[in-house]
Amino acid sequence: MEPIRRDRWPLGINNVARANRLPEGALRNLVNLDPSADGILALRAGYSKVVDCQGARAAFAVGEFLVVVDGTNVLSYHPDSDSTVMLGQVSDAPVSATEHAGQLFLSTAVDSVRTDGGVLKPWAIRAPGFSVEAIPGGTLEGRYRVAVTATGADGEESGTDSILVDVPAGSSIRVLSDDPRTLRLYASAVNGASLYYQKLVFGGGVVLSSVRDDTEMLTTDGLVPLPACDELVSHHGVIVGRSGPYAFFTSPMYPHLMDPVSGFFQFPAQVRLLAATDGGVYIVADKTYFVTGLETATPSQRTVLETDAVEGTAVKLPDGRVAWFTRYGQVLGTPDGQAQLVHRQSFAPDVADRGAAGVLSHNGNEMVVTTMRGVTGQNNLATGDFADLEIDDGQ
């Protein structure tokens, strides 16, 4: 019998059809080979070591740099110079990050830092504690609102919770704080709602005997830092993070602050995945949702798929689409909120609770490479190979 030769496999792997009923151009499995766009098989891309690590836990790109979390060390690798420098340290807790506005924002249960690949700076800015009281002497009278903020490495202001104080006639306002940082004092006009910058707070306290209302207006009242998140993505002017059944998002143009009242969505199950496109963000919990308008006052969501996902497998494609992995195989999501199970009829992978994914460009091919982490479970949608064994006892 003449051997059967196949040179082209344009349909790739199919483990849903029975092994003896594979469609023309499909195959059952591949080892160390990948089909190209025209179906010709080629060896999978190799790899080479660029950074020596003791216990690498995560790697993220920012600009021309690769930021690696090696144990508790945060390293920055520059491919052009093939050099590595240490930026600082974080705790040994799980770490998540996203590139946003030219910086990499990193979050652990303990740390909140950011870097451009050259310097590590604080991300979250702790709001200062302070107290307010009316004291005799001065020209103030009526009800005033007072707030104090701290500033970060680049002048960004912390959130704050303003305080109302009733001032008798002929009084001043004294503001006290034991925070050692240089603080900024804001106050409203009498019976006013908007707060305006007044002066710096030095040495633990300051007295306010008059109020200006022609200076910089306070815009961070009531805002707080983003909580520690298991995954972060960047979308337009906001950072989106997930933790438990919640998806949080920062206030527009304030990547270090969020609104604790309106800056989140809650879902019926743990949020397992975030995937951001130009048109909106896919959020996968018990189902797959598409959320739009996060940078506006009226964000909205709708259901696009009735399936969950493998945590950690979201990746952005060069054409603006996103992809992630499910028990039905790969999903492709478009910027207009159309999600498609592209392998539903041909591939049923074994999946685990968590995974990782990336886009690989090699030999003219662009591929999404996904790997599972932990114990994988058998997918009952796949067909198997069976054999019947009959034992003859000799009788």
Side-chain angles (χ1 to χ4, degrees), residues 257-290:
L257 293 171
M258 63 161 289
D259 189 324
V261 176
S262 62
F264 67 93
F265 282 86
Q266 183 175 2
F267 297 89
Q270 176 179 327
V271 179
R272 302 182 59 82
L273 183 143
L274 302 172
T277 70
D278 188 57
V281 179
Y282 291 93
I283 300 178
V284 185
D286 59 320
K287 301 177 183 178
T288 301
Y289 304 88
F290 190 65

mmCIF file of all heavy atoms in Angstrom, residues 257-290:
data_model
loop_
_atom_site.group_PDB
_atom_site.id
_atom_site.type_symbol
_atom_site.label_atom_id
_atom_site.label_comp_id
_atom_site.label_asym_id
_atom_site.label_seq_id
_atom_site.Cartn_x
_atom_site.Cartn_y
_atom_site.Cartn_z
ATOM 1 N N LEU A 257 -6.151 57.365 41.566
ATOM 2 C CA LEU A 257 -7.336 57.560 42.394
ATOM 3 C C LEU A 257 -8.576 56.967 41.737
ATOM 4 O O LEU A 257 -8.671 56.892 40.508
ATOM 5 C CB LEU A 257 -7.572 59.055 42.648
ATOM 6 C CG LEU A 257 -6.542 59.784 43.511
ATOM 7 C CD1 LEU A 257 -6.792 61.284 43.487
ATOM 8 C CD2 LEU A 257 -6.560 59.257 44.942
ATOM 9 N N MET A 258 -9.549 56.576 42.570
ATOM 10 C CA MET A 258 -10.832 56.077 42.086
ATOM 11 C C MET A 258 -11.944 56.598 42.981
ATOM 12 O O MET A 258 -11.700 57.023 44.117
ATOM 13 C CB MET A 258 -10.865 54.540 42.067
ATOM 14 C CG MET A 258 -10.730 53.900 43.425
ATOM 15 S SD MET A 258 -11.284 52.180 43.495
ATOM 16 C CE MET A 258 -13.057 52.372 43.332
ATOM 17 N N ASP A 259 -13.167 56.544 42.475
ATOM 18 C CA ASP A 259 -14.340 56.921 43.258
ATOM 19 C C ASP A 259 -14.859 55.667 43.965
ATOM 20 O O ASP A 259 -15.289 54.719 43.308
ATOM 21 C CB ASP A 259 -15.420 57.496 42.338
ATOM 22 C CG ASP A 259 -16.573 58.118 43.110
ATOM 23 O OD1 ASP A 259 -16.930 57.585 44.175
ATOM 24 O OD2 ASP A 259 -17.123 59.132 42.644
ATOM 25 N N PRO A 260 -14.822 55.609 45.307
ATOM 26 C CA PRO A 260 -15.249 54.394 46.008
ATOM 27 C C PRO A 260 -16.749 54.144 45.937
ATOM 28 O O PRO A 260 -17.207 53.057 46.291
ATOM 29 C CB PRO A 260 -14.802 54.653 47.449
ATOM 30 C CG PRO A 260 -14.808 56.143 47.585
ATOM 31 C CD PRO A 260 -14.387 56.664 46.244
ATOM 32 N N VAL A 261 -17.519 55.129 45.476
ATOM 33 C CA VAL A 261 -18.970 54.965 45.381
ATOM 34 C C VAL A 261 -19.388 54.478 43.996
ATOM 35 O O VAL A 261 -20.195 53.552 43.867
ATOM 36 C CB VAL A 261 -19.683 56.295 45.721
ATOM 37 C CG1 VAL A 261 -21.188 56.164 45.525
ATOM 38 C CG2 VAL A 261 -19.357 56.729 47.134
ATOM 39 N N SER A 262 -18.831 55.065 42.951
ATOM 40 C CA SER A 262 -19.266 54.734 41.590
ATOM 41 C C SER A 262 -18.191 54.089 40.740
ATOM 42 O O SER A 262 -18.459 53.711 39.595
ATOM 43 C CB SER A 262 -19.755 56.005 40.884
ATOM 44 O OG SER A 262 -18.699 56.957 40.783
ATOM 45 N N GLY A 263 -16.984 53.899 41.265
ATOM 46 C CA GLY A 263 -15.873 53.422 40.447
ATOM 47 C C GLY A 263 -15.692 51.923 40.420
ATOM 48 O O GLY A 263 -14.547 51.438 40.391
ATOM 49 N N PHE A 264 -16.778 51.154 40.400
ATOM 50 C CA PHE A 264 -16.633 49.701 40.335
ATOM 51 C C PHE A 264 -17.907 49.064 39.795
ATOM 52 O O PHE A 264 -18.991 49.652 39.826
ATOM 53 C CB PHE A 264 -16.308 49.117 41.716
ATOM 54 C CG PHE A 264 -17.422 49.226 42.722
ATOM 55 C CD1 PHE A 264 -18.329 48.188 42.881
ATOM 56 C CD2 PHE A 264 -17.576 50.358 43.500
ATOM 57 C CE1 PHE A 264 -19.372 48.276 43.800
ATOM 58 C CE2 PHE A 264 -18.598 50.462 44.424
ATOM 59 C CZ PHE A 264 -19.498 49.423 44.566
ATOM 60 N N PHE A 265 -17.755 47.824 39.293
ATOM 61 C CA PHE A 265 -18.872 46.953 38.945
ATOM 62 C C PHE A 265 -18.781 45.708 39.815
ATOM 63 O O PHE A 265 -17.679 45.225 40.104
ATOM 64 C CB PHE A 265 -18.824 46.530 37.474
ATOM 65 C CG PHE A 265 -19.294 47.578 36.509
ATOM 66 C CD1 PHE A 265 -18.430 48.545 36.034
ATOM 67 C CD2 PHE A 265 -20.604 47.597 36.074
ATOM 68 C CE1 PHE A 265 -18.846 49.505 35.137
ATOM 69 C CE2 PHE A 265 -21.048 48.555 35.173
ATOM 70 C CZ PHE A 265 -20.163 49.517 34.707
ATOM 71 N N GLN A 266 -19.928 45.168 40.230
ATOM 72 C CA GLN A 266 -19.967 43.927 40.992
ATOM 73 C C GLN A 266 -20.654 42.853 40.167
ATOM 74 O O GLN A 266 -21.654 43.119 39.497
ATOM 75 C CB GLN A 266 -20.699 44.114 42.323
ATOM 76 C CG GLN A 266 -20.702 42.864 43.198
ATOM 77 C CD GLN A 266 -21.330 43.107 44.559
ATOM 78 O OE1 GLN A 266 -21.799 44.198 44.854
ATOM 79 N NE2 GLN A 266 -21.334 42.090 45.401
ATOM 80 N N PHE A 267 -20.109 41.608 40.228
ATOM 81 C CA PHE A 267 -20.617 40.514 39.410
ATOM 82 C C PHE A 267 -21.026 39.337 40.297
ATOM 83 O O PHE A 267 -20.634 39.269 41.467
ATOM 84 C CB PHE A 267 -19.561 40.088 38.397
ATOM 85 C CG PHE A 267 -19.209 41.185 37.418
ATOM 86 C CD1 PHE A 267 -18.198 42.088 37.693
ATOM 87 C CD2 PHE A 267 -19.921 41.325 36.239
ATOM 88 C CE1 PHE A 267 -17.879 43.104 36.808
ATOM 89 C CE2 PHE A 267 -19.619 42.338 35.343
ATOM 90 C CZ PHE A 267 -18.601 43.226 35.629
ATOM 91 N N PRO A 268 -21.819 38.389 39.761
ATOM 92 C CA PRO A 268 -22.311 37.270 40.581
ATOM 93 C C PRO A 268 -21.234 36.279 40.982
ATOM 94 O O PRO A 268 -21.466 35.449 41.867
ATOM 95 C CB PRO A 268 -23.347 36.597 39.663
ATOM 96 C CG PRO A 268 -23.686 37.611 38.628
ATOM 97 C CD PRO A 268 -22.452 38.416 38.431
ATOM 98 N N ALA A 269 -20.069 36.308 40.329
ATOM 99 C CA ALA A 269 -18.990 35.371 40.630
ATOM 100 C C ALA A 269 -17.666 36.112 40.554
ATOM 101 O O ALA A 269 -17.601 37.274 40.157
ATOM 102 C CB ALA A 269 -19.005 34.197 39.647
ATOM 103 N N GLN A 270 -16.600 35.430 40.953
ATOM 104 C CA GLN A 270 -15.275 36.039 40.895
ATOM 105 C C GLN A 270 -14.943 36.454 39.464
ATOM 106 O O GLN A 270 -15.145 35.700 38.522
ATOM 107 C CB GLN A 270 -14.229 35.053 41.396
ATOM 108 C CG GLN A 270 -12.802 35.558 41.288
ATOM 109 C CD GLN A 270 -11.797 34.563 41.817
ATOM 110 O OE1 GLN A 270 -12.088 33.822 42.750
ATOM 111 N NE2 GLN A 270 -10.604 34.538 41.240
ATOM 112 N N VAL A 271 -14.415 37.654 39.323
ATOM 113 C CA VAL A 271 -13.962 38.112 38.006
ATOM 114 C C VAL A 271 -12.644 37.417 37.698
ATOM 115 O O VAL A 271 -11.690 37.485 38.462
ATOM 116 C CB VAL A 271 -13.786 39.644 37.977
ATOM 117 C CG1 VAL A 271 -13.278 40.087 36.606
ATOM 118 C CG2 VAL A 271 -15.099 40.325 38.305
ATOM 119 N N ARG A 272 -12.587 36.722 36.563
ATOM 120 C CA ARG A 272 -11.435 35.899 36.229
ATOM 121 C C ARG A 272 -10.531 36.525 35.167
ATOM 122 O O ARG A 272 -9.382 36.093 35.003
ATOM 123 C CB ARG A 272 -11.902 34.525 35.749
ATOM 124 C CG ARG A 272 -12.750 33.771 36.766
ATOM 125 C CD ARG A 272 -13.148 32.397 36.265
ATOM 126 N NE ARG A 272 -12.000 31.567 35.967
ATOM 127 C CZ ARG A 272 -11.317 30.877 36.869
ATOM 128 N NH1 ARG A 272 -11.678 30.951 38.144
ATOM 129 N NH2 ARG A 272 -10.287 30.136 36.523
ATOM 130 N N LEU A 273 -11.037 37.525 34.455
ATOM 131 C CA LEU A 273 -10.252 38.001 33.323
ATOM 132 C C LEU A 273 -10.723 39.379 32.885
ATOM 133 O O LEU A 273 -11.920 39.687 32.932
ATOM 134 C CB LEU A 273 -10.386 36.986 32.172
ATOM 135 C CG LEU A 273 -9.612 37.193 30.889
ATOM 136 C CD1 LEU A 273 -9.148 35.841 30.337
ATOM 137 C CD2 LEU A 273 -10.493 37.870 29.852
ATOM 138 N N LEU A 274 -9.760 40.217 32.459
ATOM 139 C CA LEU A 274 -10.027 41.511 31.862
ATOM 140 C C LEU A 274 -9.319 41.575 30.514
ATOM 141 O O LEU A 274 -8.173 41.134 30.395
ATOM 142 C CB LEU A 274 -9.499 42.647 32.745
ATOM 143 C CG LEU A 274 -10.018 42.742 34.173
ATOM 144 C CD1 LEU A 274 -9.231 43.815 34.931
ATOM 145 C CD2 LEU A 274 -11.504 43.060 34.200
ATOM 146 N N ALA A 275 -9.985 42.127 29.505
ATOM 147 C CA ALA A 275 -9.376 42.297 28.189
ATOM 148 C C ALA A 275 -9.875 43.617 27.612
ATOM 149 O O ALA A 275 -11.077 43.773 27.349
ATOM 150 C CB ALA A 275 -9.731 41.136 27.263
ATOM 151 N N ALA A 276 -8.967 44.575 27.440
ATOM 152 C CA ALA A 276 -9.344 45.926 27.027
ATOM 153 C C ALA A 276 -9.140 46.131 25.535
ATOM 154 O O ALA A 276 -8.105 45.761 24.977
ATOM 155 C CB ALA A 276 -8.531 46.957 27.805
ATOM 156 N N THR A 277 -10.143 46.712 24.884
ATOM 157 C CA THR A 277 -10.054 47.135 23.492
ATOM 158 C C THR A 277 -10.317 48.636 23.425
ATOM 159 O O THR A 277 -10.668 49.261 24.426
ATOM 160 C CB THR A 277 -11.081 46.407 22.616
ATOM 161 O OG1 THR A 277 -12.404 46.886 22.948
ATOM 162 C CG2 THR A 277 -11.028 44.902 22.829
ATOM 163 N N ASP A 278 -10.194 49.197 22.228
ATOM 164 C CA ASP A 278 -10.446 50.631 22.089
ATOM 165 C C ASP A 278 -11.918 50.958 22.327
ATOM 166 O O ASP A 278 -12.252 52.064 22.746
ATOM 167 C CB ASP A 278 -10.023 51.104 20.698
ATOM 168 C CG ASP A 278 -10.085 52.616 20.561
ATOM 169 O OD1 ASP A 278 -9.416 53.298 21.361
ATOM 170 O OD2 ASP A 278 -10.823 53.105 19.690
ATOM 171 N N GLY A 279 -12.804 49.999 22.068
ATOM 172 C CA GLY A 279 -14.228 50.272 22.218
ATOM 173 C C GLY A 279 -14.796 49.971 23.585
ATOM 174 O O GLY A 279 -15.884 50.450 23.921
ATOM 175 N N GLY A 280 -14.099 49.182 24.388
ATOM 176 C CA GLY A 280 -14.600 48.808 25.699
ATOM 177 C C GLY A 280 -13.750 47.710 26.301
ATOM 178 O O GLY A 280 -12.735 47.288 25.729
ATOM 179 N N VAL A 281 -14.174 47.220 27.458
ATOM 180 C CA VAL A 281 -13.412 46.212 28.197
ATOM 181 C C VAL A 281 -14.264 44.962 28.374
ATOM 182 O O VAL A 281 -15.403 45.039 28.854
ATOM 183 C CB VAL A 281 -12.970 46.744 29.574
ATOM 184 C CG1 VAL A 281 -12.192 45.679 30.331
ATOM 185 C CG2 VAL A 281 -12.138 48.010 29.413
ATOM 186 N N TYR A 282 -13.720 43.814 27.971
ATOM 187 C CA TYR A 282 -14.360 42.527 28.257
ATOM 188 C C TYR A 282 -14.032 42.142 29.697
ATOM 189 O O TYR A 282 -12.864 42.148 30.109
ATOM 190 C CB TYR A 282 -13.862 41.445 27.308
ATOM 191 C CG TYR A 282 -14.308 41.626 25.879
ATOM 192 C CD1 TYR A 282 -13.510 42.297 24.959
ATOM 193 C CD2 TYR A 282 -15.528 41.114 25.439
ATOM 194 C CE1 TYR A 282 -13.915 42.462 23.645
ATOM 195 C CE2 TYR A 282 -15.942 41.262 24.119
ATOM 196 C CZ TYR A 282 -15.126 41.942 23.232
ATOM 197 O OH TYR A 282 -15.528 42.099 21.928
ATOM 198 N N ILE A 283 -15.065 41.803 30.461
ATOM 199 C CA ILE A 283 -14.908 41.370 31.843
ATOM 200 C C ILE A 283 -15.577 40.001 31.957
ATOM 201 O O ILE A 283 -16.779 39.863 31.711
ATOM 202 C CB ILE A 283 -15.546 42.364 32.821
ATOM 203 C CG1 ILE A 283 -14.899 43.748 32.680
ATOM 204 C CG2 ILE A 283 -15.414 41.861 34.256
ATOM 205 C CD1 ILE A 283 -15.506 44.808 33.578
ATOM 206 N N VAL A 284 -14.790 38.991 32.326
ATOM 207 C CA VAL A 284 -15.308 37.624 32.379
ATOM 208 C C VAL A 284 -15.431 37.196 33.833
ATOM 209 O O VAL A 284 -14.440 37.165 34.562
ATOM 210 C CB VAL A 284 -14.404 36.648 31.609
ATOM 211 C CG1 VAL A 284 -15.045 35.259 31.582
ATOM 212 C CG2 VAL A 284 -14.159 37.140 30.188
ATOM 213 N N ALA A 285 -16.651 36.886 34.240
ATOM 214 C CA ALA A 285 -16.928 36.359 35.575
ATOM 215 C C ALA A 285 -17.710 35.055 35.380
ATOM 216 O O ALA A 285 -17.187 34.096 34.828
ATOM 217 C CB ALA A 285 -17.704 37.380 36.403
ATOM 218 N N ASP A 286 -18.968 34.998 35.824
ATOM 219 C CA ASP A 286 -19.803 33.841 35.519
ATOM 220 C C ASP A 286 -20.134 33.778 34.036
ATOM 221 O O ASP A 286 -20.347 32.709 33.469
ATOM 222 C CB ASP A 286 -21.092 33.893 36.328
ATOM 223 C CG ASP A 286 -21.901 35.158 36.037
ATOM 224 O OD1 ASP A 286 -21.286 36.250 35.889
ATOM 225 O OD2 ASP A 286 -23.132 35.065 35.947
ATOM 226 N N LYS A 287 -20.168 34.935 33.387
ATOM 227 C CA LYS A 287 -20.376 35.073 31.953
ATOM 228 C C LYS A 287 -19.355 36.070 31.427
ATOM 229 O O LYS A 287 -18.526 36.591 32.182
ATOM 230 C CB LYS A 287 -21.799 35.571 31.658
ATOM 231 C CG LYS A 287 -22.910 34.684 32.180
ATOM 232 C CD LYS A 287 -24.281 35.312 31.905
ATOM 233 C CE LYS A 287 -25.393 34.465 32.501
ATOM 234 N NZ LYS A 287 -26.736 35.083 32.278
ATOM 235 N N THR A 288 -19.428 36.345 30.149
ATOM 236 C CA THR A 288 -18.545 37.326 29.531
ATOM 237 C C THR A 288 -19.329 38.602 29.258
ATOM 238 O O THR A 288 -20.334 38.574 28.540
ATOM 239 C CB THR A 288 -17.951 36.788 28.221
ATOM 240 O OG1 THR A 288 -17.230 35.586 28.496
ATOM 241 C CG2 THR A 288 -17.004 37.800 27.597
ATOM 242 N N TYR A 289 -18.878 39.693 29.848
ATOM 243 C CA TYR A 289 -19.551 40.987 29.727
ATOM 244 C C TYR A 289 -18.659 41.950 28.933
ATOM 245 O O TYR A 289 -17.432 41.832 28.921
ATOM 246 C CB TYR A 289 -19.840 41.572 31.107
ATOM 247 C CG TYR A 289 -20.644 40.675 32.013
ATOM 248 C CD1 TYR A 289 -20.021 39.737 32.834
ATOM 249 C CD2 TYR A 289 -22.028 40.756 32.051
ATOM 250 C CE1 TYR A 289 -20.759 38.908 33.668
ATOM 251 C CE2 TYR A 289 -22.774 39.934 32.887
ATOM 252 C CZ TYR A 289 -22.132 39.008 33.698
ATOM 253 O OH TYR A 289 -22.861 38.187 34.523
ATOM 254 N N PHE A 290 -19.294 42.931 28.307
ATOM 255 C CA PHE A 290 -18.582 43.995 27.614
ATOM 256 C C PHE A 290 -19.022 45.311 28.218
ATOM 257 O O PHE A 290 -20.208 45.655 28.210
ATOM 258 C CB PHE A 290 -18.882 43.961 26.114
ATOM 259 C CG PHE A 290 -18.005 44.866 25.293
ATOM 260 C CD1 PHE A 290 -16.637 44.641 25.207
ATOM 261 C CD2 PHE A 290 -18.549 45.931 24.586
ATOM 262 C CE1 PHE A 290 -15.824 45.456 24.436
ATOM 263 C CE2 PHE A 290 -17.748 46.757 23.811
ATOM 264 C CZ PHE A 290 -16.372 46.518 23.733
#
